Amino acid sequence: MSLDLENLRAPKPTERPDLWPWSAKFADGELTLGGLPVTKLVGQYGSPVYVLDEPDLVGRATVWATVMAEEFWDGYGMGGGSAYYAAKAMMSARVIELVTAAGMGVDTASLGELTTALNAGADPNMIGLHGNNKSDEELRLAISAGERGIARIVIDSADEVARVAAIAEELGRKARAMIRVTTGVHAGGHEFIATAHEDQKFGLSLATGAAKRVALDIQNYESLEFVGVHSHIGSQIRDLDAFSESAGRLLGLVKDLQDEGVACNELDLGGGYAITYTGKDPEPTSPKDIARALASAVRNKCEELGLKVPHVSIEPGRSTVGPTTVTLYRVGTVKEVPLEDGKSRLYVSVDGGMSDNIRPALYEADYTALLANREASSALVLARIVGKHCESGDIVVHDVALPADVKRGDILAVPATGAYGHAMSSNYNMLTRPGTLGVGTGDPHWIIYPEKLSDLLDRDAYLASKN
Ligand SMILES: *Cc1c(COP(=O)(O)O)cnc(C)c1O
C-alpha cells in the first residue's frame, strides 16, 4: 500500500519539471508560481483560479516554431516548416499575442476563435480555419481577412468546395484551401491503429478516394487555390510512428495528385502531442525529437516516391499551453469513506470541479494534486479530489495520495490544466467560471476575467425583465 501511495503522490517541481510550469517552485514551505506564493495568489485573486505562467508559454511556443523551422529548413532540401497553435485548447487574446510573437500561427474552428485571433493581431497569413460544419459567416470572415484572406481554410467535405468557391467569388478573392484527409490512422496514449476504414464526422477518406476527388474538384474553381493536405490523428499521442504512418499515407495522396498534374505544396500533420499529467506518466518526447522524427519520415517517404519535400506544418495545442497552467482550489469538506476491502478513501471536496475541468468526467482523464500551501507533515493516505457539483462523477482527481491531515482551508494545486480546462468550462449548477491569471511577466494580471454571479443572473431573461 505505501509503495502504491508513493506512486500516487504528486511530484514536486524539482522531481518532475515536465509536470509543472517553469516558474513553479516549492520554496519556504509552499508552492510559488511566477515567484508568488499560492497563499498570496488565492488570498488576492480568489479560488478556484487558473494560473498561467506566461514565460513558460512563450518558451514552449518558441520551441515549437523553432524546431519546425530548423528541422524542415529548406537548406536541407526541405520545404520549410511551421507550427500553428490549436487555439481551441485555450483561447484568449493574450495567449494569441504571446504564441504568435513567439513565431507560431493560429488554428481556429469557429467565428469566435477566428475573431479573437484576428482582433488579437495574429497575421491572417498564419491563421487556419477548421470545422466540419463551417457557417457562411465564418467563411466570409476567413476569406475577407487581411490582404488575401487567411492562410488556409481546411475543407472537410465534398459539398464545402462549391460553397467556399462561391463566397470567395462573391468577395472577389481567391480562397486558399487545404483538404482534411482521414488516413485511417488513429492514435492516443501509447498505441495507434491503422485501418482503411473511417467512421467519423471529420475529413475526407483516403481509402475511398473521396480525398482525391475533392482535391481535383478544387482545381475546377478560379476562386480557389489548392494549398495542400491535412490530417489530425488524435490527441495525447506518445507513439511517433503514428505520425510517420499518417504522413506516409498523405504523401501517397500527394504523389497521386502530382501524377494528375496537381501540385501540393503543404502537408499538415495536425496536433496531438502528449504532455505529462501525473507522476506516473513517462516524460514526453521533446519537440526537437518530434520534429526530427517527422522530418526524417517525410524526407524518406518523399525520396521513395520521387517527390519534392513540401512545406510541413503541425498544430500543437495541448503541448503548447497545457503545462503552463496550474489550477488552485481551496479545500472544503473532507470525508473518510470506508472501502469494501476494509481500507478507506479520503474524499476531499474543492470549490470547483467538473465546471472548470470536465476532462476527468468526460474522458476519465488522470490528473494529480499537490498540497500547495504548506509542507506535508503527516503520513500519506489514499484520497480522491471531488468538486462541489450535484453529480457523483464530479471528480477532479480519481486517485491521489495526500497527507492525512489535509483540511478545510488548505490549497490544492492541480498542474497541467492549461489545455481544455478553461476552454471546456461550464456554468453547471450556476457556478461562475474561474478566471485565468497571467504570472511571470510583471505583476499578475487577468487574461480571462473570473465570471461574476451577476454575469450569470443577467442572462436570465425573466429575472432581467423584473429589474
Ligand atoms: C484538437 C486539434 C488539434 C490540437 O490537438 P492537441 O491534442 O491539443 O495538440 C490540432 N488540429 C486539429 C485539427 C484539432 O482538431
Side-chain angles (χ1 to χ4, degrees):
M1 186 76 179
S2 67
L3 237 185
D4 288 354
L5 282 176
E6 183 56 27
N7 281 335
L8 290 175
R9 183 178 63 81
K12 285 183 177 164
T14 45
E15 298 172 271
R16 284 298 297 268
D18 54 321
L19 178 63
W20 297 92
W22 289 349
S23 73
K25 285 195 181 68
F26 206 97
D28 301 324
E30 72 175 294
L31 183 71
T32 68
L33 298 167
L36 299 158
V38 291
T39 47
K40 193 166 170 204
L41 287 169
V42 168
Q44 193 162 346
Y45 299 97
S47 66
V49 60
Y50 304 106
V51 182
L52 187 154
D53 182 330
E54 293 191 344
D56 187 21
L57 177 64
V58 172
R60 288 174 202 279
T62 305
V63 166
W64 276 123
T66 308
V67 297
M68 287 304 289
E70 282 177 1
E71 296 301 320
F72 289 90
W73 181 49
D74 49 19
Y76 296 136
M78 308 285 265
S82 50
Y84 283 69
Y85 168 61
K88 70 174 194 236
M90 198 301 183
M91 188 38 138
S92 86
R94 176 63 170 167
V95 166
I96 296 306
E97 176 180 86
L98 294 176
V99 301
T100 54
M104 287 183 98
V106 183
D107 255 324
T108 63
S110 70
L111 190 66
E113 288 183 2
L114 182 54
T115 304
T116 305
L118 289 169
N119 290 1
D123 176 1
N125 286 308
M126 285 293 284
I127 297 179
L129 177 67
H130 282 279
N132 62 303
N133 187 24
K134 301 177 195 74
S135 68
D136 287 355
E137 204 181 356
E138 288 163 350
L139 290 171
R140 218 165 261 128
L141 178 60
I143 296 167
S144 60
E147 310 215 318
R148 33 183 314 228
I150 64 168
R152 70 263 284 266
I153 293 171
V154 185
I155 301 236
D156 199 278
S157 57
D159 62 1
E160 208 182 336
V161 178
R163 280 185 62 222
V164 176
I167 293 172
E169 197 180 333
E170 174 196 312
L171 293 168
R173 288 201 159 183
K174 220 171 158 83
R176 291 180 270 180
M178 274 189 134
I179 55 168
R180 167 96 175 237
V181 180
T182 43
T183 58
V185 180
H186 300 275
H190 296 273
E191 288 167 1
F192 74 92
I193 52 164
T195 67
H197 304 288
E198 288 302 344
D199 189 6
Q200 60 152 317
K201 72 169 184 169
F202 290 115
L204 295 152
S205 165
L206 188 63
T208 65
K212 183 178 170 183
R213 279 194 299 277
V214 169
L216 293 177
D217 187 31
I218 289 174
Q219 317 304 317
N220 297 326
Y221 296 89
E222 274 290 310
S223 60
L224 297 179
E225 176 188 332
F226 181 59
V227 174
V229 294
H230 177 286
S231 82
H232 173 70
I233 58 173
S235 64
Q236 191 59 7
I237 301 168
R238 296 186 184 279
D239 190 344
L240 295 183
D241 292 344
F243 293 102
S244 305
E245 176 66 31
S246 186
R249 292 180 178 204
L250 277 182
L251 286 165
L253 172 62
V254 171
K255 165 76 172 145
D256 226 16
L257 289 170
Q258 180 173 291
D259 292 346
E260 304 261 356
V262 173
C264 194
N265 298 322
E266 261 197 74
L267 190 69
D268 191 303
L269 300 175
Y273 307 98
I275 65 164
T276 303
Y277 282 105
T278 75
K280 287 179 287 181
D281 291 337
E283 235 181 85
T285 310
S286 72
K288 179 94 188 156
D289 289 343
I290 290 171
R292 192 163 281 181
L294 297 180
S296 100
V298 168
R299 187 173 31 211
N300 292 343
K301 192 73 185 179
C302 285
E303 241 171 60
E304 182 193 319
L305 297 172
L307 289 171
K308 187 169 150 271
V309 182
H311 183 96
V312 175
S313 49
I314 58 168
E315 304 169 334
R318 181 194 315 270
S319 56
T320 307
V321 76
T324 67
T325 301
V326 174
T327 307
L328 300 177
Y329 298 101
R330 188 78 86 169
V331 172
T333 304
V334 177
K335 188 191 284 185
E336 193 175 336
V337 176
L339 302 178
E340 280 170 9
D341 59 6
K343 292 172 184 142
S344 66
R345 188 199 297 277
L346 207 57
Y347 273 79
V348 178
S349 299
V350 295
D351 48 0
M354 63 194 295
S355 53
D356 60 76
N357 189 355
I358 190 69
R359 295 188 66 257
L362 197 58
Y363 313 123
E364 291 183 17
D366 261 343
Y367 285 86
T368 190
L370 180 73
L371 177 64
N373 58 307
R374 61 187 171 92
E375 199 71 64
S377 44
S378 57
L380 294 175
V381 294
L382 179 65
R384 175 165 291 170
I385 317 296
V386 295
K388 59 181 277 131
H389 294 276
C390 305
E391 192 89 44
S392 50
D394 173 27
I395 290 167
V396 178
V397 184
H398 281 92
D399 294 305
V400 63
L402 284 179
D405 68 349
V406 61
K407 57 180 187 300
R408 173 178 293 275
D410 275 337
I411 295 169
L412 291 182
V414 176
T417 55
Y420 310 109
H422 161 72
M424 290 184 149
S425 61
S426 76
N427 294 119
Y428 186 38
N429 283 132
M430 284 291 267
L431 257 65
T432 53
R433 287 174 293 179
T436 298
L437 190 70
V439 298
T441 44
D443 290 335
H445 48 271
W446 290 117
I447 292 175
I448 298 281
Y449 288 123
E451 253 169 351
K452 301 184 289 289
L453 186 55
S454 60
D455 295 331
L456 268 60
L457 297 178
D458 284 350
R459 293 193 64 212
D460 187 306
Y462 187 73
L463 280 182
S465 74
K466 284 185 151 185
N467 291 331

